Amino acid sequence: MTKPPAAILKLPHWAFLVLTGACAWGIPGAGHWLIGERKRAAIIFISLVFAFTVGIYIGSIAAIELKSPWFYAQILFSPVVAYIAHLSGAVYHLDSFGRPREIGEIYTGIAGMMNLLCIVNAVYMAHCKRKSV
Amino acid sequence: MINMIYILANFMSPVHIGTTPKSFLLALPLIAVIAIVYKATKMEKIELVSFVRETFLLFGSILVFMVLAAVGIFIFMKLTVG
């Protein structure tokens, strides 16, 4: 295992946990990368970006809509989702219906919920690692 | 540049998916992603052979239980609705 770069950062414990969570939300897998879990980070990043990309390919970016309840799951993927929702709604006025939209929402929503699992896991691992040092 | 625009244009309109039995196959990549990410968070150490084996086991068990649930619902519907 590589030495965690976060060890160089002399942050208080709580700030390090917040930073890990924020990184994990910003870019899927970045939280694990920060605590030195490079393999996990790469697996999480590739898998979740794949699921999200397939989702918006099938349902188009119109599958991400601010008013939809699915948005609460989708936004867990990354803050970039809010920008995509703004593009599809306010800028391009896109819409999609039926089966492609459903599948797009399911893919992107599950990618978001799986990222929540990764955020919690990254923060927990960061907490355990700091305690053991 | 033009190629990039064509690639991005693919994300502006939905693809056509019919309501056919084949459309259920779209669940497979999602199940694979769920199995991979779940195992990536739960395994103590990430080693290729054990990771692939554990992921396949989880992928298979999710698939088997989904098929069993589908068969159960199908039988229930046949018995009640006809």
Side-chain angles (χ1 to χ4, degrees):
Chain A
M1 196 194 319
T2 51
K3 194 180 177 184
I8 304 159
L9 303 168
K10 286 173 181 168
L11 289 172
H13 186 59
W14 65 268
F16 179 59
L17 298 184
V18 171
L19 179 70
T20 307
C23 286
W25 182 45
I27 304 167
H32 286 91
W33 186 276
L34 191 69
I35 58 172
E37 294 283 342
R38 300 287 161 88
K39 282 184 195 169
R40 265 184 241 275
I43 292 167
I44 290 166
F45 178 79
I46 293 167
S47 309
L48 292 184
V49 169
F50 169 77
F52 191 81
T53 310
V54 170
I56 56 171
Y57 175 73
I58 292 172
S60 84
I61 57 170
I64 297 165
E65 192 187 350
L66 276 171
K67 289 169 193 167
S68 162
W70 275 103
F71 183 74
Y72 296 105
Q74 291 162 338
I75 192 70
L76 296 169
F77 179 76
S78 171
V80 175
V81 170
Y83 181 64
I84 296 174
H86 169 73
L87 278 182
S88 75
V91 180
Y92 295 114
H93 306 287
L94 299 173
D95 216 343
S96 68
F97 303 95
R99 182 61 70 91
R101 186 193 172 97
E102 282 172 17
I103 292 173
E105 282 176 335
I106 291 168
Y107 264 82
T108 50
I110 287 180
M113 288 188 276
M114 291 307 289
N115 196 39
L116 177 64
L117 175 75
C118 296
I119 294 168
V120 173
N121 184 254
V123 172
Y124 176 71
M125 286 177 95
H127 175 66
C128 292
K129 278 195 175 187
R130 270 287 171 107
K131 269 179 84 178
S132 63
V133 171
Chain B
M1 187 65 187
I2 295 290
N3 287 341
M4 192 66 189
I5 291 168
Y6 279 130
I7 290 167
L8 289 177
N10 284 327
F11 294 93
M12 302 290 272
S13 59
V15 297
H16 173 73
I17 297 168
T19 47
T20 60
K22 276 185 185 172
S23 65
F24 282 109
L25 293 176
L26 279 167
L28 296 180
L30 193 59
I31 296 170
V33 166
I34 291 169
I36 291 166
V37 173
Y38 184 78
K39 282 295 166 189
T41 58
K42 292 295 163 193
M43 284 184 77
E44 199 114 318
K45 272 193 171 183
I46 305 285
E47 280 160 0
L48 184 69
V49 179
S50 60
F51 180 73
V52 171
R53 191 184 59 233
E54 293 277 326
T55 305
F56 261 102
L57 275 173
L58 183 60
F59 177 81
S61 37
I62 294 172
L63 201 62
V64 166
F65 278 99
M66 281 182 78
V67 170
L68 287 177
V71 170
I73 292 167
F74 180 76
I75 292 169
F76 177 75
M77 292 302 286
K78 278 284 174 194
L79 292 175
T80 54
V81 182

